[in-house]
Amino acid sequence: MVNSLSQVKTDPANLANLDNDRERILAAIDIGTNSIHMVVVRLESNLPAFTIIAKEKDTVRLGDREPKTGNLTPEAKKRAFAALQRCKDLAISFNAEQIVAVATSAVREAPNGREFLEAVYSQLGIFVNLISGQEEARRIYLGVLSGMEFNNHPHVIIDIGGGSTELILADSHEPRFLSSTKVGAVRLTQEFISTDPISDKERQYLEAYVRGMLERPVEEMRSRLVSGEKLHLVGTSGTIETLAEIHAKEYLGTVPSPLHAYQFSRQDLEAIVKKLAALNYSDRAKVPGMSEKRAEIIVPGAIILLEAMKMLELESITICERALREGIIVDWMLTHGLIENRLMYQSEVRQRSVYKLAHKYQVNFDYSNQVANFALSIFDQIQGDLHCWGNEERELLWSAAILHNSGLYISHSAHHKHSYYLIRNGELLGFTETEVEVIANLARYHRKSKPKKKHDNYKNLPNKQYRHLVNQVGAILRLAVALDRRQIGAIKQVKCQYKPENKELHLSLVPHDPNDDCALELWNLAYKKEFFEQEYEVEVIASLSPSVVAN
């Protein structure tokens, strides 16, 4: 059975063996700063598409963090645990084959965020991936594109969350610009509002602060536009949907169902913001279309939207009811090969992102590709005999092999440690924070010391299974690096033969030049193989191909 790190304890079957013709149910959870959302979908892989069959939402306010430490509070964690248990129960009731969960800014920024996620896994059996702001923006794009046709026109997507606002410039083919800015409805309420109703002074300061924070992403976005292109604005998630419901109640007398594709103008939004800012909490909560929880944070959220529309000089906004959680579903479908045509560009985002980072740090592509090919060859040949990792882990190995020497950009001395830092902070798109951590650790241990519990980077891995992954796959990378010690492509091919009766792994090396004895590669293999031998409990025996020796 393949070790799939994306599966949770509730997963009833091995995904690799599922029959695509039968009904497949998947659940996606978005653990945000304000709320926890879940969608349960029925996958239609023959289209490819999905149908939402259930939703769950709880306002848990993980963003209500301890003022001095920034930690998630015990009360917020308790609310989150209760919400996640309900989500899990609902997913199981629909026979979901997997729960895919991500956490965003509140957990990402909290010092005890990882501790919280470890507790979620150990107590509820739900593995949660942290994702970066840019990755959050990318998945929001995927979610919107799954439910809205762009008709080859550029669109700006704005998603106002509790802790951050994502601004995305995109068309039908690709996201041209992804950004995540630390302005969110919960964050701004906590940091800037002390009056109720909000005073003119606080409102003016808040507006100026939002403009200052959004200035850079808006300028970047404008620089990516082609002359003459007309922009369309799409809004997603709770704050913007609430403003749309308030608008519909006031101007239409009823809220359309679904709210998807509903439009309202900037002029009308200005009137709504003015009205809401003049009300205290009690009166805001009575506004048709408003929930009590949303009434606490709606004014800063509305100001973010209004200022963004002014800066972008856009006069109207269209609602899309699909966002991050649906983007999680699309990303999963891409990763598992269920989408091949419409979003082909997106399915290759990981590979492009790795190459882009390698280019940035002036990696020797010929050498890194050679190491990657050796690593994947060994991985494939010993799969089933010495390990049971699958395609997802194989891709992490490839990424680490391409980037393992990126630290040379800083210095040759301890460059493996520099590689860890550069990869960890390199904004690799398409990967979760945990996957980036794995790639960085694999690169970190391609030479010198083997992984040790006292190493901070090794401790950053979320659990024993990931540390086991780094140990086993990292041992393969070490062998691959040794096979091109001179970085001249001396070895053409490596053939692996496992002999279980003797617990031996024989590596037969085929050199490019029959007259090359590859002494340095053989010596380096002898030096590097110890970690592999300890991890797999085998003896590695390397030799040149007999046919070459005979010549």
Side-chain angles (χ1 to χ4, degrees):
M1 178 175 176
V2 173
N3 288 327
S4 178
L5 295 176
S6 64
Q7 294 184 49
V8 297
K9 292 179 180 178
T10 54
D11 189 358
N14 178 3
L15 294 177
N17 297 324
L18 285 169
D19 181 0
N20 285 335
D21 293 331
R22 74 165 177 79
E23 181 175 84
R24 302 183 67 177
I25 307 297
L26 190 69
I29 298 176
D30 161 19
I31 302 175
T33 300
N34 185 50
S35 305
I36 290 178
H37 292 264
M38 183 179 75
V39 291
V40 181
V41 305
R42 179 184 298 110
L43 302 180
E44 300 168 42
S45 53
N46 59 319
L47 292 179
F50 61 87
T51 301
I52 296 172
I53 57 177
K55 290 185 178 183
E56 179 73 11
K57 176 191 172 185
D58 252 313
T59 304
V60 299
R61 290 284 166 81
L62 280 174
D64 289 343
R65 295 187 284 160
E66 294 175 357
K68 290 184 179 180
T69 64
N71 279 329
L72 304 175
T73 65
E75 297 79 14
K77 289 191 289 184
K78 185 177 180 180
R79 293 192 295 267
F81 267 87
L84 289 169
Q85 182 65 64
R86 287 191 289 273
C87 287
K88 178 180 175 180
D89 292 342
L90 183 64
I92 291 174
S93 73
F94 279 93
N95 296 316
E97 66 182 58
Q98 190 173 356
I99 299 172
V100 186
V102 304
T104 56
S105 67
V107 179
R108 197 165 56 229
E109 296 172 23
N112 64 342
R114 287 188 179 273
E115 178 187 315
F116 165 69
L117 297 186
E118 288 171 5
V120 169
Y121 180 68
S122 63
Q123 295 178 38
L124 300 180
I126 300 173
F127 184 83
V128 182
N129 278 300
L130 272 176
I131 56 173
S132 68
Q134 277 211 326
E135 179 61 18
E136 181 179 356
R138 187 187 73 87
R139 296 195 191 195
I140 290 168
Y141 162 71
L142 291 178
V144 170
L145 194 61
S146 74
M148 181 172 284
E149 194 62 63
F150 283 8
N151 295 316
N152 295 318
H153 295 301
H155 285 62
V156 173
I157 302 168
I158 182 168
D159 185 299
I160 300 170
S164 64
T165 292
E166 281 65 50
L167 277 173
I168 302 140
L169 175 64
D171 54 35
S172 304
H173 305 291
E174 62 177 307
R176 301 186 196 174
F177 175 72
L178 301 167
S179 73
S180 180
T181 305
K182 292 181 179 181
V183 287
V186 173
R187 188 192 297 269
L188 297 187
T189 299
Q190 291 175 335
E191 295 181 1
F192 296 109
I193 297 182
S194 61
T195 55
D196 188 32
I198 186 172
S199 67
D200 289 342
K201 182 179 179 181
E202 284 189 344
R203 179 179 170 182
Q204 289 166 9
Y205 184 85
L206 189 57
E207 290 169 345
Y209 179 80
V210 169
R211 286 195 296 271
M213 291 294 286
L214 294 182
E215 183 177 13
R216 184 174 178 180
V218 168
E219 286 181 358
E220 283 270 354
M221 194 173 290
R222 289 189 178 281
S223 71
R224 309 294 174 94
L225 285 172
V226 177
S227 178
E229 285 186 323
K230 183 180 178 181
L231 284 175
H232 302 266
L233 181 63
V234 176
T236 68
S237 296
T239 290
I240 296 176
E241 288 182 8
T242 297
L243 291 170
E245 289 182 23
I246 292 170
H247 182 274
K249 282 279 190 180
E250 184 168 336
Y251 290 85
L252 300 179
T254 184
V255 177
S257 183
L259 196 62
H260 190 76
Y262 184 77
Q263 294 183 330
F264 59 95
S265 69
R266 189 174 93 193
Q267 183 178 355
D268 289 347
L269 175 62
E270 286 187 277
I272 291 171
V273 173
K274 184 177 180 180
K275 174 183 176 180
L276 293 174
L279 300 176
N280 61 27
Y281 166 73
S282 178
D283 290 334
R284 287 196 304 274
K286 297 174 184 175
V287 172
M290 184 84 72
S291 69
E292 290 185 4
K293 290 288 188 180
R294 186 68 62 181
E296 297 174 3
I297 61 173
I298 192 65
V299 172
I303 287 173
I304 295 170
L305 178 59
L306 181 56
E307 293 305 317
M309 291 182 74
K310 288 177 180 178
M311 295 173 75
L312 291 164
E313 299 178 357
L314 294 172
E315 298 299 325
S316 67
I317 184 170
T318 303
I319 302 301
C320 179
E321 290 188 299
R322 290 190 172 186
L324 176 57
R325 48 203 172 275
E326 290 79 16
I328 296 168
I329 299 291
V330 175
D331 186 72
W332 188 93
M333 294 176 74
L334 287 165
T335 302
H336 289 79
L338 300 183
I339 299 176
E340 295 181 354
N341 297 318
R342 185 177 175 213
L343 295 174
M344 179 59 73
Y345 178 92
Q346 287 302 317
S347 68
E348 299 168 354
V349 67
R350 289 188 175 200
Q351 182 178 337
R352 290 197 320 277
S353 185
V354 168
Y355 277 134
K356 182 178 179 181
L357 194 64
H359 178 76
K360 179 178 180 180
Y361 296 121
Q362 300 175 12
V363 165
N364 181 330
F365 279 105
D366 289 340
Y367 165 67
S368 63
N369 275 315
Q370 179 83 336
V371 171
N373 289 336
F374 284 144
L376 297 185
S377 176
I378 296 170
F379 181 97
D380 292 342
Q381 290 183 70
I382 67 173
Q383 187 179 40
D385 289 326
L386 294 179
H387 75 79
C388 293
W389 301 109
N391 289 334
E392 294 172 37
E393 294 75 36
R394 186 181 190 273
E395 188 172 25
L396 300 182
L397 170 61
W398 174 84
S399 303
I402 294 295
L403 296 171
H404 77 278
N405 259 357
S406 56
L408 291 172
Y409 182 78
I410 296 177
S411 170
H412 186 277
S413 176
H415 69 268
H416 54 298
K417 296 180 181 179
H418 300 317
S419 292
Y420 171 84
Y421 176 82
L422 293 177
I423 295 168
R424 191 65 190 86
N425 296 281
E427 287 288 0
L428 284 172
L429 290 178
F431 298 96
T432 65
E433 290 286 281
T434 299
E435 289 169 332
V436 173
E437 190 72 62
V438 169
I439 295 168
N441 269 275
L442 290 172
R444 160 71 174 82
Y445 294 115
H446 82 269
R447 66 192 289 267
K448 297 290 186 179
S449 170
K450 66 180 183 180
K452 295 178 181 177
K453 291 181 179 179
K454 67 180 182 180
H455 294 163
D456 288 338
N457 55 277
Y458 192 60
K459 288 191 291 187
N460 285 340
L461 293 163
N463 55 45
K464 289 181 180 179
Q465 190 179 7
Y466 279 99
R467 287 187 279 276
H468 183 51
L469 167 64
V470 167
N471 291 348
Q472 289 215 323
V473 177
I476 294 174
L477 180 56
R478 285 201 180 210
L479 293 185
V481 171
L483 285 169
D484 200 17
R485 180 65 181 84
R486 287 176 285 172
Q487 300 189 21
I488 60 171
I491 303 295
K492 180 179 181 180
Q493 185 182 5
V494 56
K495 299 176 182 178
C496 304
Q497 183 182 14
Y498 174 55
K499 296 185 176 181
E501 65 278 6
N502 301 321
K503 288 195 172 183
E504 294 175 349
L505 178 65
H506 289 253
L507 303 182
S508 180
L509 314 182
V510 181
H512 268 286
D513 181 357
N515 297 314
D516 188 346
D517 63 7
C518 298
L520 192 56
E521 282 71 29
L522 288 167
W523 171 84
N524 205 30
L525 269 172
Y527 176 69
K528 290 280 185 71
K529 70 179 183 176
E530 181 183 3
F531 180 34
F532 186 98
E533 290 178 331
Q534 291 174 352
E535 197 58 41
Y536 289 96
E537 297 182 350
V538 297
E539 181 183 359
V540 175
I541 300 172
S543 61
L544 290 186
S545 172
S547 60
V548 173
V549 173
N551 290 335

